[in-house]
Amino acid sequence: MDFQSLNQILGYLQIMELSPQQQQFLKLMEYWEEVLGVMATQTKPLYIDRGVLYVATSSAALSQELSFRVPQLLDKLNHFLPTPLDNIRFSAAHWHTIHSHQSRQTEKNNWLEHPSMIPQSQKATLEDSTHKNQNPQTTFKNWAKAINTRFQGLPLCPQCQCPTPPGEIQRWSVCAICATKQWSSS
């Protein structure tokens, strides 16, 4: 009897829960780069509908070029797929939509790695001060308390003694404000 890792078995179970069309799409994605070669980076399979694979391409010229190669691509792809595809349709229409979403996600991830970000474990949330009967003084006190709590665990900048995100201290040895002052004076 051959033993398999738990992750492998869970992966098989997850695939079994998918519809046959989704399973076919996952299988297609495994071999897409092998079938298209260098051009795979300029294409993105979107979905399969009624035996037709829809693919976004980086340009209209590439869509046209690949359209001429559909019979050869179908032969190669159908060799790997349990249910053969009938056709492939290439279009540049969705390419920018896909990549603008991916770039927004990358920008978000880059910001999360910025030295000025406070680690999630050290963040304190502002208390809900949206009570209708609260006066401005109480609201301000709640806000000030939350801000003090938020900065309690942060290290102090060696130059100005202000609470500073750890990433800034690691990167510049001082807070971002002091680092900016140093750069502008040199």
Side-chain angles (χ1 to χ4, degrees), residues 11-137:
Y12 293 141
L13 291 175
Q14 194 174 26
I15 288 173
M16 290 172 63
E17 289 178 2
L18 300 174
S19 71
Q21 205 165 356
Q22 290 170 324
Q23 288 178 17
Q24 183 171 13
F25 188 77
L26 285 176
K27 193 74 161 167
L28 174 130
M29 292 302 290
E30 282 181 48
Y31 297 102
W32 185 250
E33 194 172 327
E34 183 180 327
V35 170
L36 252 69
V38 179
M39 286 189 271
T41 60
Q42 298 300 310
T43 62
K44 175 74 174 147
L46 299 172
Y47 59 92
I48 298 172
D49 184 32
R50 298 182 192 150
V52 178
L53 171 63
Y54 291 85
V55 180
T57 62
S58 61
S59 70
L62 181 60
S63 293
Q64 187 174 10
E65 180 183 337
L66 290 172
S67 294
F68 291 130
R69 296 179 49 197
V70 166
Q72 294 91 358
L73 294 172
L74 281 173
D75 283 344
K76 288 181 182 179
L77 282 172
N78 286 339
H79 175 73
F80 298 112
L81 300 175
T83 307
L85 294 171
D86 299 326
N87 199 359
I88 305 173
R89 295 208 179 132
F90 297 97
S91 171
H94 296 291
W95 182 258
H96 297 289
T97 309
I98 292 167
H99 286 281
S100 66
H101 174 70
Q102 288 174 344
S103 65
R104 282 193 304 270
Q105 190 65 30
T106 302
E107 287 172 11
K108 182 180 176 185
N109 290 340
N110 288 346
W111 173 242
L112 292 174
E113 295 170 7
H114 191 276
S116 298
M117 285 298 291
I118 298 171
Q120 191 66 33
S121 61
Q122 291 180 328
K123 281 187 182 178
T125 59
L126 293 173
E127 293 179 18
D128 185 19
S129 57
T130 57
H131 300 296
K132 292 180 182 177
N133 297 335
Q134 271 189 341
N135 62 27
Q137 290 82 12

Side-chain angles (χ1 to χ4, degrees), residues 145-159:
K145 181 181 173 186
I147 294 299
N148 285 335
T149 305
R150 178 181 290 178
F151 294 123
Q152 250 177 0
L154 295 178
L156 298 178
C157 170
Q159 200 162 350

